[in-house]
Amino acid sequence: MTRLGTTVDPRSPEHTEARTEALERLAALDAEHAKALAGGGEKYTARHRDRGKLLARERVELLLDPDTPFLELSPLAGWGSDYPVGASMVTGIGTVEGVECLITANDPTVRGGASNPWTLKKALRANEIARQNRLPCISLVESGGADLPSQKEIFIPGGAVFRDLTRLSAEGVPTVAVVFGNSTAGGAYIPGMSDHTVMIKDRSKVFLGGPPLVKMATGEESDDESLGGADMHARVSGLADHYALDEYDAIRQARRIVARLNHRKPYADPPRAAEPLHDPEELLGIVPPDLKTPFDPREVIARIVDASDFDEFKPLYGTSLVTGWATLHGYPVGILANAQGVLFSAESQKAAQFIQLANQRDIPLLFLHNTTGYMVGKEYEQGGIVKHGSMMINAVSNSRVPHLSVLIGASYGAGHYGMCGRAYEPRFLFAWPSAKSAVMGPAQLAGVLSIVSRQSAAAKGLPYDEEQDAGMRAFVEAQIESESLPLFLSGRLYDDGVIDPRDTRTVLGLCLSAVHNAPVEGARGGFGVFRM
Ligand code: COA
């Protein structure tokens, strides 16, 4: 074994300062998560309960095996938008009858559970996770359909939700819909396109058009029950496969459906793994408040991998990127972690070689981001930094083993791409509250804008207003800073959630278990042409 040591001193002033800052950020994060948990707020929650209904998270909890975890995804969706935090939907991965499933649940306390543009993004992301990892999908449906005032944002792209369901089914990934209430118009295609449906007596309403619309369209008089009640669908139309007497019965029946899926995970669970030697609590004091101060990512690795056991690859070459092998909750992983922030040619070549090795060995990759991007300047351009950065990005793009990304510090510029940022489709991407991500740092971006404006004024022979320039710089810097923060990025679904650093090992363990529902097979060739 190659045990990583530590030089972290939890009593040092630097550690204490970083920890204090981290705890403040976590408190702010908790306050935002609380908004998602509160759903539509007291009034709508009380009304929902008075109707004898369970809340979205209670439905999920009852569906899961007792005392098993639920990895909630995108809880901050919609943050910073005009819509409530959480986007009127709960999504996540949990275990039902021993089977890891992707679960979605509309939150009917938020605008009748209607889907706004962020709900749609969140639902599509959930479908993507189900497809990539071959996770059976369970939809707990109760929704007013499209959020009508924002229909222009959702009507056309929204068709993909139903398309995805039938494609999952075609690929042999099971889909189950449990209808707790309204599931009308487009919403009717959720049960319509699912492999298995459960409907609830006097509760489910599944029809293309409700009584008012039918009256308008054909003049026919009708009522909810005859158009789309559970009784009708179970006895007459055949859309309901299972007829439940109440919500509890519906959840019980959904669990029985999963128990009968004959779902076989292609890999046995790994044996119980040893915990890291070093205390994960210390993860709070490792990232300095000022991201310009470098820190050793081995201190993070030592607190997330099994037994802090890490075999480094090329430790003396391209030292600003740490690469090496470990296991995490028993699953093998190759880790790429930025050390000094900047990626040079050697780091890029080392990364490309390491990614190829992981593909040859069918080993998932974990990217720990703290990069300001690829090195600029004459020496580096002449040394081929564009070629070598392209080589790394090529390797990341065409790698076929599952990738997991965690933004722990900076993730700027093309460094975000090379380290498998969102556009490179990591299976999962999480951020620590300390992370920042943008095309470049706020001060650098404001400075570049200032130089460009100055040159433009000079070219026109105009004087340059220094006072206005200072004002512009301060404004732009503040704007870019706020747009680089995890809450903002998570609100836009650019990650799958912002996590407490102390939970990193658990979250990654759940992700690794989830990705092993699909075969882990690396690319044996199939990379683009590498510029050497
Ligand atoms: N778009 C935007 N807002 C909606 C909405 C929708 N599709 N559905 C409900 N809301 C809003 C309501 O206006 C209401 O807002 P308010 O409290 O500020 O007045 C709030 O959500 C709660 O709706 P309410 O009707 O009081 O809740 P309910 O639980 O009694 O009924 C529905 C829920 C979904 C059955 C009912 O609102 C409904 O029929 N909505 C329209 C469904 C529809 O036809 N959708 C089109 C599908 S394409």
Side-chain angles (χ1 to χ4, degrees):
M1 275 207 188
T2 315
R3 309 260 198 196
L4 283 173
T6 183
T7 58
V8 165
D9 173 5
R11 279 151 307 177
S12 70
E14 298 78 30
H15 190 95
T16 311
E17 190 199 356
R19 182 182 160 83
T20 306
E21 173 109 7
L23 287 170
E24 278 168 17
R25 289 200 177 119
L26 283 174
L29 177 66
D30 282 350
E32 298 309 315
H33 281 152
K35 290 182 191 166
L37 288 175
E42 265 174 49
K43 176 179 145 196
Y44 291 99
T45 304
R47 191 179 72 165
H48 189 72
R49 284 202 187 289
D50 287 347
R51 291 170 170 173
K53 293 186 160 199
L54 293 164
L55 297 174
R57 282 188 173 72
E58 292 170 344
R59 290 170 181 166
V60 172
E61 201 171 333
L62 285 169
L63 179 67
L64 298 177
D65 293 345
D67 299 324
T68 58
F70 181 59
L71 178 62
E72 187 166 342
L73 300 164
S74 323
L76 299 173
W79 189 92
S81 75
D82 294 338
Y83 299 95
V85 176
S88 73
M89 181 180 252
V90 180
T91 64
I93 297 171
T95 308
V96 179
E97 293 285 349
V99 177
E100 284 156 300
C101 296
L102 191 293
I103 299 162
T104 67
N106 300 116
D107 184 345
T109 67
V110 184
R111 286 167 79 101
S115 292
N116 62 56
W118 302 107
T119 324
L120 175 60
K121 274 195 172 21
K122 186 164 170 170
L124 292 177
R125 173 64 188 144
N127 287 349
E128 183 175 62
I129 290 173
R131 190 183 56 76
Q132 290 177 329
N133 303 295
R134 297 189 62 79
L135 298 173
C137 240
I138 307 178
S139 312
L140 307 183
V141 186
E142 181 167 16
S143 163
D147 179 86
L148 294 171
S150 58
Q151 68 83 27
K152 72 176 190 309
E153 309 290 344
I154 47 177
F155 165 59
I156 291 175
V161 172
F162 318 123
R163 176 206 68 192
D164 285 352
L165 275 180
T166 187
R167 285 189 179 164
L168 282 168
S169 176
E171 290 176 20
V173 179
T175 52
V176 182
V178 187
V179 186
F180 289 87
N182 218 55
S183 180
T184 58
Y189 293 110
I190 303 242
M193 298 275 188
S194 294
D195 293 347
H196 305 270
T197 58
V198 184
M199 296 194 198
I200 307 174
K201 179 174 186 268
D202 299 335
R203 293 288 163 118
S204 308
K205 275 188 218 172
V206 184
F207 36 61
L208 288 185
L213 193 145
V214 171
K215 174 85 181 153
M216 290 297 294
T218 66
E220 186 191 3
E221 294 290 344
S222 53
D223 58 78
D224 283 352
E225 248 339 277
S226 63
L227 286 178
D231 253 279
M232 189 285 284
H233 282 307
R235 295 172 206 281
V236 184
S237 80
L239 180 59
D241 304 321
H242 302 270
Y243 177 81
L245 295 175
D246 59 20
E247 295 203 11
Y248 297 93
D249 187 30
I251 292 167
R252 185 189 64 77
Q253 296 205 37
R255 288 179 53 79
R256 292 311 303 151
I257 291 169
V258 178
R260 298 286 183 193
L261 288 177
N262 192 23
H263 180 82
R264 285 154 296 182
K265 199 170 172 175
Y267 304 93
D269 287 341
R272 203 177 172 83
E275 289 298 304
L277 295 181
H278 308 292
D279 190 355
E281 188 65 32
E282 291 163 3
L283 287 170
L284 291 185
I286 289 172
V287 182
D290 182 354
L291 291 181
K292 282 200 220 63
T293 315
F295 61 91
D296 187 349
R298 293 175 194 84
E299 298 286 8
V300 175
I301 296 168
R303 287 163 180 80
I304 60 174
V305 303
D306 298 343
S308 305
D309 181 12
F310 183 61
D311 285 300
E312 216 171 316
F313 168 76
K314 274 188 155 66
L316 304 177
Y317 184 84
T319 52
S320 142
L321 182 75
V322 174
T323 50
W325 311 105
T327 59
L328 203 156
H329 277 291
Y331 292 102
V333 278
I335 301 177
L336 298 93
N338 306 108
Q340 303 299 324
V342 184
L343 289 159
F344 299 89
S345 285
E347 281 72 9
S348 309
Q349 290 167 311
K350 173 173 160 177
Q353 186 187 357
F354 186 70
I355 291 166
Q356 281 192 307
L357 285 173
N359 275 270
Q360 290 286 354
R361 314 276 178 265
D362 300 332
I363 296 177
L365 288 169
L366 168 62
F367 296 80
L368 299 175
H369 294 228
N370 182 30
T371 177
T372 47
Y374 292 95
M375 190 65 195
V376 296
K378 189 166 69 183
E379 182 189 341
Y380 305 99
E381 299 288 2
Q382 293 186 355
I385 189 69
V386 175
K387 282 195 315 186
H388 298 129
S390 301
M391 178 192 275
M392 177 171 170
I393 297 172
N394 174 349
V396 169
S397 307
N398 292 303
S399 161
R400 301 188 64 82
V401 290
H403 296 174
L404 308 178
S405 269
V406 184
L407 276 57
I408 60 181
S411 187
Y412 287 121
H416 176 72
Y417 302 160
M419 291 296 288
C420 201
R422 188 56 137 182
Y424 291 79
E425 299 177 343
R427 295 286 180 93
F428 295 94
L429 186 150
F430 291 95
W432 284 9
S434 47
K436 281 186 189 172
S437 190
V439 67
M440 62 180 85
Q444 291 83 343
L445 192 146
V448 170
L449 268 183
S450 163
I451 292 169
V452 173
S453 318
R454 200 179 294 270
Q455 284 171 344
S456 163
K460 291 181 201 135
L462 296 172
Y464 195 64
D465 185 336
E466 293 297 339
E467 204 175 314
Q468 199 181 334
D469 179 83
M472 178 280 285
R473 280 219 255 185
F475 178 80
V476 169
E477 226 180 292
Q479 179 202 333
I480 302 302
E481 170 75 16
S482 69
E483 292 173 0
S484 311
L485 296 177
L487 290 178
F488 178 84
L489 297 171
S490 204
R492 303 177 83 78
L493 280 291
Y494 287 150
D495 60 36
D496 295 311
V498 185
I499 57 169
D500 185 325
R502 293 169 291 191
D503 295 336
T504 308
R505 175 175 163 77
T506 306
V507 168
L508 292 175
L510 292 170
C511 293
L512 283 166
S513 181
V515 304
H516 281 83
N517 279 274
V520 175
E521 286 165 5
R524 296 294 187 263
F527 289 91
V529 173
F530 283 123
R531 289 186 181 278
M532 300 294 183

